[in-house]
Amino acid sequence: MDSHSQKRTLQSASETSETPVWHTYDAQQVNDRLHTSPQGLSGAEAAQRQQQYGANQLPPAKRRSGLMRLLAQFHNVLIYVLLVAAVVTALLGHSIDSGVIIAVVLINSLVGFIQEGKAEKAIDAVRNMLSQQAVVIRDGHRQEVPAEALVPGDIVFIQSGDRVPADLHLHKVKELNIEEALLTGESVPVLKQTQPVAANADLGDRTNIAFSGTLVTYGQGTGTVVATGAQTEIGRISTLLADVSALTTPLTRQLDSFARWLTGSILLIALATMLFGSWVRGYALEDMFLAAVGLAVAAIPEGLPAVITIALAIGVQRMANRHAIIRRLPAVETLGSVSVICSDKTGTLTRNEMTVTTVVSACCNADISGAGYNPHGTFTCNHQDLNLSNLPELQQLCRASILCNEAQLRQKNDEWIIEGDPTEGALLVLGAKSGLDLTELPLEMPRDDLIPFESEHRFMATLHHDHNGNGVIYIKGAIEAILPRCQWQMSHGHEEKLDSDYWSQQQEQIANQGQRTLALAMLRVDENHRILHFDDVSKGLVMLGLVGIIDPPREEAIQAVAECHRAGIQVKMITGDHIATASAIARQMGITDSPRAMTGNEVEQLSDSELQARVEQVDVFARSSPEHKLRIVQALQACQHVVAMTGDGVNDAPALKRADVGTAMGIKGTEAAKEASEMVLADDNFASITYAVEEGRTVFDNIKKSILFILPTNGGEALTVIAAIAFGTMLPVTPAQILWVNMITAVTLALSLTFESTEPGVMLRPPRNTRSPILSPFMIWRIIFVSLLMVSATFGLFLWERSNGTDIDTARTIAVNTLVVLEVFYLLNSRYLTRSVLSRDGLLGNRYALYAIAIVMAFQLLFTYLPIMQLFFHTEALSLADWGKILVVGLILFLAVELEKKLLHSVSKTE
Ligand code: ATP
């Protein structure tokens, strides 16, 4: 049938009849109805169906509307205070002040709204980088496509760790267990099968359907897509779970509560100042009210939460640029304090580009030449070419390599690529190098059944029969999994008694060179044996040989390990591989020269407290299972470590959840692992974790810088008002002017600090102690020191001007500009926490800071010289000499802070 008529039929089926009751159908009926077959759709047909059915996506979650988000900005103590103040000032007849207050409220809210929107967008953009992939058969080939591209009729393959990408009618399963809590609330996985079930079966009983969004916990299966997007069961009951990224983290919450406490205190101080001013100093209550409002606005660090959110969002973006995708915002700050990284070996520390270089049989040790997945190479022994026709055990081993295999080797342009597990890819290449035909052999020996590889049992087995009914089981896996099942070994084509010691020694030798080893074995079975059970491979197997596979270390990971060491971060390898292989790789990676290693079995023997006592000393955990990972994380956390842990399998989820920064692999990781993680590595590379840690430390530094900038500037502004009232002098800055200063500086200057790039030496410091408070004694000192400098400078200059007979409006204009210029200079100081900024880079290195300064100064010129501003704010034009004085005062503050850095360097170095 051509695709047009197919489309018509499909359309008419969907238009005329009610939705088919798929679970009552068998595979044939489903495929007939959807005009598909086990070979899958053609690419063209799939594209057409995608147009008809749309993308396989759930309707997006409803978000808070823009208006609601804007209104939320007004829900803030400061805004309430200001609104009350606006009403009171209006009632008192101060319409200009009232107007200024309203303008401040509007601008503050608008800026908050825009900033929040930007931060959310930045984080969403990163989230969208994590699209789900699905394995589908199209044009007769197995291929990976984005899950959104699936259409009804596609044949999809799922295995443990996958999220089911669409509703599938299953036609082939192997111990397929699916957890359907999302749909049914039942967290015990359901064992799936392929037979039709009754029409009235509940969702949980439709065991021949795999529902979109549910999680494969074990086994594998293949099925036909029967519904996509909103047509799936999950699509019908809900739209996408509202996964709106809350822009809060422990740090922002901590700071929020600090800000609330501060706001309360400031309001009390403002009230006290107002009463003091009017009762003790005899000022008019009305003036004092305005002064108190100015004081409150000056002192409350209302911009702080927004600035911190932005700093986190910028961190998320920068990490994404370096292949570390943050799924949960708090991870950004936690990353800065990571003290141990527990990493997988394969693919994370190593390249996951496997090549078989050694084959050991009972009769010979062969070296295999060739590089990568190019299937050309030779077998040699002591530099002599081997003739495989004389070595039946090697022939069998190569047959097993091809048949007991789920991967595919393809040539794309000039490059050989594999689809599937690289270990298996390497075995296919080995088979091809032996001269076997990768397409013919599976046709001669079709597969009847298999036991898929799972890291719990560490082997895989397949059952085949040739067309004459001769049956054979091939099995491959870790030597510890295979050897105990063998009774015989093949030597010169005959079966002889197994020599376990020989194989163990050989394996040790290969592993010591850092090669990954796999054992291969076989068992002949009779014609009627068509289903493969675990019991069938439990004993009596014939050992064929061992293969040694090299997987070169990633160069950048070696450097990253060294960088971690310099940064006081321990690196531990947790791998499913053999202890000797793992230790050799640990040496190559520079984790340590003499790795202290422990196997999963040993971990099991230890009690929790014994493990805690030893865990810090161990560098390599070999033959580890996901349960061991969980115990290792817990033990490290009990030793007060902040742990980043990598993982990829479905069973890694508990350890990833438990770790402070669970880190899933973006390429080889399962959906289950990604969902349990805080961070996903787009390139599976260990080095990306180190970059993320560096960025995490930078974000934290920038937050500290912002706090150290914002608090003293608020403090300086507020103290100026308090001092005036306390000393009974005229206010050096009017309430309206304070509002102005706050409005233009709060959102511009501090924000530029969140863009600061990483300071050199960030990765030479030990990790931050998470229990130490954000405001360290050093920071409190700096805040008090700078606040006092600011108030003395502004107030001092104002009093000096007044004593020289300058009129009040000009003196105030000078005071306001002094305050702003002081902030500008202090912004430059704040670029580095403890280092001097007296260098080209220190002064000019952050272009955002320079833009911010330019904007602020432009506004100050308007403020000083524009007639309408002069009317609103009672400002007067200043002379060049006035500006000279202001700049000198600014410079003095700048140098004073630089001097403080120099003097306190030894103290502050510990910050
Ligand atoms: P890591 O945990 O660092 O990724 P790993 O990839 O070596 O290490 P597993 O995938 O759990 O860990 O593999 C454990 C062992 O199982 C391997 O050392 C190997 O002997 C065996 N093995 C790996 N892949 C296969 C496979 N596809 N078929 C059969 N055996 C395998």
Side-chain angles (χ1 to χ4, degrees), residues 343-348 350 352 354 404-406 421 423-424 427 452-461 475-482 516-519 573-578 581 623-625 629 648 652 668:
S343 174
D344 277 355
K345 170 178 70 65
T346 312
T348 316
T350 64
N352 209 9
M354 310 263 181
C404 185
N405 202 315
E406 295 269 79
D421 176 1
T423 305
E424 302 202 336
L427 290 173
F453 173 76
E454 296 279 351
S455 43
E456 287 104 90
H457 52 247
R458 297 199 177 94
F459 74 83
M460 162 181 173
I475 175 168
K476 71 175 196 303
I479 185 160
E480 296 95 319
I482 304 294
R516 185 180 174 80
T517 50
L518 249 77
M573 180 196 283
I574 306 187
T575 172
D577 217 331
H578 190 266
T581 313
R623 291 295 190 225
S624 295
S625 67
K629 280 191 174 178
D648 48 20
D652 285 335
K668 69 168 186 169

Side-chain angles (χ1 to χ4, degrees), residues 582-650:
S583 301
I585 298 280
R587 265 192 297 275
Q588 290 173 17
M589 301 299 310
I591 291 180
T592 153
D593 291 339
S594 44
R596 289 156 295 184
M598 191 186 261
T599 61
N601 277 341
E602 289 172 78
V603 171
E604 261 162 41
Q605 308 298 318
L606 299 178
S607 69
D608 286 347
S609 54
E610 286 165 337
L611 185 60
Q612 279 167 31
R614 295 195 43 197
V615 70
E616 286 186 293
Q617 272 73 50
V618 179
D619 308 298
V620 173
F621 292 92
R623 291 295 190 225
S624 295
S625 67
E627 297 76 55
H628 303 141
K629 280 191 174 178
L630 181 61
R631 287 196 62 207
I632 294 165
V633 172
Q634 286 168 332
L636 284 166
Q637 285 173 333
C639 300
Q640 312 301 338
H641 280 292
V642 177
V643 186
M645 158 80 74
T646 67
D648 48 20
V650 56

Side-chain angles (χ1 to χ4, degrees), residues 14 31 53 188 242-243 287 295 429 479 648 729 753 801 911:
S14 61
N31 287 353
Y53 291 96
V188 178
D243 183 23
D287 290 345
L295 168 63
V429 171
I479 185 160
D648 48 20
T729 53
L753 288 175
E801 287 293 331
E911 294 300 322

Side-chain angles (χ1 to χ4, degrees), residues 328-551:
R328 298 197 182 92
L329 199 55
V332 180
E333 31 179 271
T334 319
L335 270 165
S337 43
V338 161
S339 60
V340 179
I341 302 177
C342 296
S343 174
D344 277 355
K345 170 178 70 65
T346 312
T348 316
L349 293 168
T350 64
R351 297 226 286 256
N352 209 9
E353 287 164 13
M354 310 263 181
T355 316
V356 176
T357 54
T358 320
V359 175
V360 176
S361 72
C363 319
C364 78
N365 279 16
D367 294 321
I368 321 296
S369 68
Y373 296 120
N374 186 328
H376 302 288
T378 51
F379 287 59
T380 54
C381 179
N382 297 328
H383 307 291
Q384 303 281 313
D385 278 359
L386 285 176
N387 181 354
L388 292 197
S389 52
N390 302 331
L391 297 163
E393 54 283 338
L394 277 194
Q395 282 177 22
Q396 273 299 352
L397 183 141
C398 292
R399 290 168 75 84
S401 296
I402 295 172
L403 292 172
C404 185
N405 202 315
E406 295 269 79
Q408 287 189 10
L409 181 69
R410 283 204 290 141
Q411 194 172 19
K412 204 173 176 186
N413 305 326
D414 276 349
E415 213 189 341
W416 289 92
I417 52 168
I418 56 121
E419 251 154 41
D421 176 1
T423 305
E424 302 202 336
L427 290 173
L428 276 188
V429 171
L430 173 76
K433 285 176 183 170
S434 76
L436 290 168
D437 188 319
L438 300 187
T439 334
E440 283 303 309
L441 187 62
L443 297 178
E444 284 166 24
M445 296 286 290
R447 182 192 290 179
D448 300 305
D449 202 2
L450 95 160
I451 299 176
F453 173 76
E454 296 279 351
S455 43
E456 287 104 90
H457 52 247
R458 297 199 177 94
F459 74 83
M460 162 181 173
T462 49
L463 168 65
H464 308 259
H465 282 85
D466 66 14
H467 300 293
N468 300 324
N470 300 311
V472 59
I473 297 173
Y474 287 118
I475 175 168
K476 71 175 196 303
I479 185 160
E480 296 95 319
I482 304 294
L483 209 52
R485 297 167 197 268
C486 293
Q487 201 176 351
W488 317 104
Q489 61 193 34
M490 191 176 281
S491 173
H492 300 294
H494 303 293
E495 291 169 15
E496 61 179 34
K497 203 164 170 330
L498 183 81
D499 179 356
S500 290
D501 292 344
Y502 167 79
W503 294 109
S504 301
Q505 279 163 13
Q506 293 295 327
Q507 122 84 24
E508 195 77 17
Q509 242 176 39
I510 307 175
N512 278 335
Q513 300 161 30
Q515 291 188 20
R516 185 180 174 80
T517 50
L518 249 77
L520 293 103
M522 64 179 279
L523 180 69
R524 294 200 187 280
V525 291
D526 65 37
E527 186 170 359
N528 303 322
H529 192 148
R530 296 281 169 168
I531 294 184
L532 192 51
H533 295 290
F534 270 80
D535 281 351
D536 301 331
V537 290
S538 62
K539 56 180 191 297
L541 304 184
V542 183
M543 180 76 167
L544 296 172
L546 298 174
V547 293
I549 304 177
I550 53 161
D551 178 15

Side-chain angles (χ1 to χ4, degrees), residues 51 56 65 175 255 333 336 362 381 464 504 522 544 686 766 829:
Q51 287 206 331
N56 176 28
S65 69
E175 295 182 44
L255 281 166
E333 31 179 271
C381 179
H464 308 259
S504 301
M522 64 179 279
L544 296 172
F686 179 84
N829 290 127

